[in-house]
Amino acid sequence: MLDNLSTGSIENIDHLRGHPRFHYTIDTVTNEPVLAELLDRSEVVFHLAAAVGVKKIVEEPVHTIENNVHGTEVVLRHANKKKKLVVVASTSEVYGKSEAVPFREDADLVMGPTVKHRWAYACSKAIDEFLALAYHKEKKLPVIIIRLFNTVGPRQSGQYGMVIPNFVRQALAGQPITVFGDGTQSRSFTYVGDVVRALVALANEPRAVGEVFNIGNGREITIGALAERVKRLTGSASDIVYIPYDQAYEAGFEDMPRRVPDISKINALVGYAPTVDLDEILQGVIEYFRSR
Ligand code: UDP
């Protein structure tokens, strides 16, 4: 594992640190000598290093674009020297404002205007996808692109605006649960363990090379209903309050109204299906915050 802990936490790998088959390096993917050395020792690269969270992206657009584009460029260039398989983490955000739900991998991407910083994240990830596929086509580098749909579970930080850790923390503290916008926007949350299994299955499937896959859970919930669910499961007396997007993010902020994956492609190839539903995910996150 290579991580600069820019948004991660060393505590999250406490349980792995003594394991004989686990190695980690605290550094950045743009430290090329370190990256080259680690690549030599690896069979497969799971490239997950990127700026994370809409809040951070709106607040630090330069960092987002530079990090996401340059980081992937460096990883692909070095992996190509040794022809190591690279699984590139992209995002459901690339579907943008498209209303063609459920989203299929071959669908059009619908971005907003460049003056709205949110879309910089989707565009930077779309460039990552283009670059990885270009390496595959032109230089025969084995690559697999995955588009993640709201991956969640215990140990996810709420610090970068993510909704589930924030709602759970607020509910347990008896603070208002903050729904942004009118709460009718929806998401499909995917358990992190299901995502990990999907990544490993794809990396072991030669027919996945050169392809793009959604990894998600087809079950959709509105953010308003999610707030109610968290309130009920925690037994919280918190109020649910609605905060306009302009205040939550920035003036003129555009959200994605719905985000639902079509997972038939990955299901057909490696038999992927989500195994953990939203209530179980929420229970795990609630226990995690209670134990802290
Ligand atoms: N959201 C919210 N309250 C919060 C944090 C997020 O209502 O305290 C909303 C956010 O506006 C979005 C959804 O929850 O519509 C999911 O947000 P998140 O940042 O978790 O992921 P995104 O889908 O935006 O990548």
Side-chain angles (χ1 to χ4, degrees), residues 1-210:
M1 187 201 81
L2 172 63
D3 197 320
N4 66 355
L5 299 180
S6 55
T7 51
S9 163
I10 196 80
E11 268 176 46
N12 286 357
I13 55 165
D14 266 349
H15 60 296
L16 297 172
R17 284 162 84 184
H19 196 286
R21 290 176 61 201
F22 180 71
H23 301 277
Y24 69 96
T25 304
I26 306 301
D27 211 317
T28 151
V29 289
T30 53
N31 184 341
E32 298 188 34
V34 168
L35 180 71
E37 168 68 23
L38 293 174
L39 267 165
D40 271 339
R41 289 197 256 142
S42 311
E43 281 167 44
V44 182
V45 181
F46 295 95
H47 173 45
L48 302 156
V52 71
V54 173
K55 187 163 159 259
K56 196 172 172 63
I57 281 141
V58 169
E59 285 165 5
E60 297 176 39
V62 172
H63 170 83
T64 302
I65 298 168
E66 288 185 351
N67 232 20
N68 289 4
V69 177
H70 182 56
T72 302
E73 200 185 309
V74 172
V75 169
L76 289 169
R77 182 156 33 83
H78 281 274
N80 185 53
K81 289 184 188 161
K82 292 142 192 170
K83 295 287 185 248
K84 299 282 171 97
L85 171 63
V86 187
V87 180
V88 177
S90 181
T91 170
S92 50
E93 182 89 9
V94 296
Y95 293 105
K97 295 191 279 186
S98 170
E99 286 173 12
V101 287
F103 299 139
R104 280 173 52 100
E105 291 86 346
D106 55 2
D108 287 342
L109 310 182
V110 186
M111 303 293 157
T114 50
V115 288
K116 311 241 175 201
H117 293 308
R118 179 202 183 114
W119 305 115
Y121 179 67
C123 282
S124 67
K125 285 293 191 173
I127 283 289
D128 289 350
E129 293 195 18
F130 276 123
L131 189 61
L133 294 169
Y135 264 99
H136 176 62
K137 179 167 187 250
E138 200 179 312
K139 302 182 189 290
K140 306 285 172 277
L141 176 70
V143 302
I144 300 169
I145 314 274
I146 51 150
R147 294 182 179 158
L148 301 175
F149 284 70
N150 292 75
T151 305
V152 293
R155 303 202 291 272
Q156 181 184 25
S157 166
Q159 223 183 319
Y160 306 100
M162 274 74 164
V163 68
I164 287 186
N166 273 299
F167 280 5
V168 170
R169 194 181 36 77
Q170 291 165 339
L172 291 176
Q175 293 166 354
I177 300 175
T178 54
V179 174
F180 300 159
D182 64 6
T184 58
Q185 75 273 29
S186 77
R187 294 293 185 270
S188 326
F189 295 96
T190 318
Y191 180 61
V192 59
D194 283 332
V195 172
V196 171
R197 260 192 305 280
L199 290 182
V200 174
L202 287 174
N204 284 315
E205 172 51 67
R207 287 174 299 167
V209 170

